[in-house]
């Protein structure tokens, strides 16, 4: 709806990016979790939230489940390839590119508040969470990893840190009063 001044009066929803395990983006658990989050009005308020399942492996067909791990191993190697980022830290440029694309995609979705973005990662999805944490991603409010695999990670240079009025660690305030702990 329009408030007469050209601005929409519809409530913008928080956006969440889900990063998959080594099983890939077709994992039934990930789709179940996305459905649960989208419909979680107790946590996110009316309308729930908008969820994007990021496909790190470019696996639209579910081949990450194949018993032959050759294709998975090649895709994982591609996104995990290291390069000196110029800051004295080792970066993974392809992973960073794909993470940036996921952030851009969720922020561009109609109805998403680009200043209320969060990300969750499981297992292999822990790597993109660390990548996001080291980026200065506008609008990113929270990142969480569950049993993240951090092979080869010695240290993570953190992004811009907490800005005035924001908490470094703790709860996420999506709508100015409804507290949400991701």
């Amino acid at each position: 709806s329009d408030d007469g001044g050209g601005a929409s009066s519809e409530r913008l929803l928080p956006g969440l990016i889900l990063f998959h395990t080594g099983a890939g983006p077709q994992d039934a658990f990930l789709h179940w979790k996305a459905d649960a989050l989208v419909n979680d009005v107790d946590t996110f308020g009316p309308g729930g939230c908008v969820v994007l399942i990021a496909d790190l492996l470019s696996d639209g067909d579910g081949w990450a489940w194949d018993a032959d791990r050759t294709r998975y191993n090649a895709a994982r190697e591609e996104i995990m390839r290291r390069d000196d980022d110029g800051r004295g830290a080792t970066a993974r440029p392809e992973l960073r590119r794909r993470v940036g694309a996921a952030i851009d995609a969720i922020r561009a979705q109609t109805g998403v508040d680009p200043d209320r973005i969060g990300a969750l990662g499981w297992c292999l999805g822990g790597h993109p969470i660390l990548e996001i944490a080291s980026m200065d991603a506008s609008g990113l409010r929270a990142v969480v990893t569950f049993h993240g695999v951090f092979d080869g990670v010695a240290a993570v240079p953190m992004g811009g840190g907490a800005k005035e009025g924001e908490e470094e660690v703790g709860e996420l305030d999506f709508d100015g009063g409804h507290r949400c702990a991701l």
Side-chain angles (χ1 to χ4, degrees):
S1 66
D2 190 310
D3 65 6
S8 174
S9 61
E10 291 184 33
R11 179 177 178 268
L12 293 176
L13 302 175
L16 293 175
I17 306 168
L18 303 186
F19 291 102
H20 57 77
T21 70
Q26 303 304 323
D27 188 343
F29 162 78
L30 201 60
H31 290 265
W32 170 82
K33 182 50 97 177
D35 288 343
L37 288 166
V38 164
N39 295 304
D40 189 348
V41 296
D42 292 333
T43 301
F44 298 107
C49 66
V50 176
V51 173
L52 169 75
I53 297 175
D55 182 359
L56 296 173
L57 301 173
S58 300
D59 176 18
D61 300 324
W63 52 257
W65 284 87
D66 291 350
D68 178 356
R69 302 304 282 168
T70 305
R71 191 170 176 187
Y72 168 81
N73 290 338
R76 187 181 194 285
E77 182 179 322
E78 178 184 352
I79 64 170
M80 300 304 285
R81 188 170 293 119
R82 296 171 176 275
D83 190 13
D84 183 349
D85 70 355
R87 298 180 302 172
T90 302
R92 294 182 163 122
E94 182 59 20
L95 179 61
R96 184 169 282 250
R97 185 188 71 73
R98 292 179 188 205
V99 166
I103 293 169
D104 291 345
I106 192 73
R107 292 183 85 221
Q109 295 300 306
T110 302
V112 170
D113 184 341
D115 293 322
R116 295 187 301 159
I117 305 297
L120 302 154
W122 289 266
C123 197
L124 174 66
H127 283 289
I129 294 300
L130 291 181
E131 205 60 45
I132 288 175
S134 71
M135 299 167 70
D136 189 16
S138 173
L140 190 66
R141 297 293 202 89
V143 293
V144 178
T145 181
F146 298 94
H147 59 81
V149 175
F150 303 119
D151 52 316
V153 176
V156 177
M158 299 305 281
K163 295 170 181 55
E164 187 174 335
E166 294 182 348
E167 300 174 43
E168 185 72 34
V169 177
E171 294 181 320
L172 177 58
D173 187 353
F174 276 135
D175 65 7
H178 180 76
R179 303 298 285 185
C180 169
L182 295 178

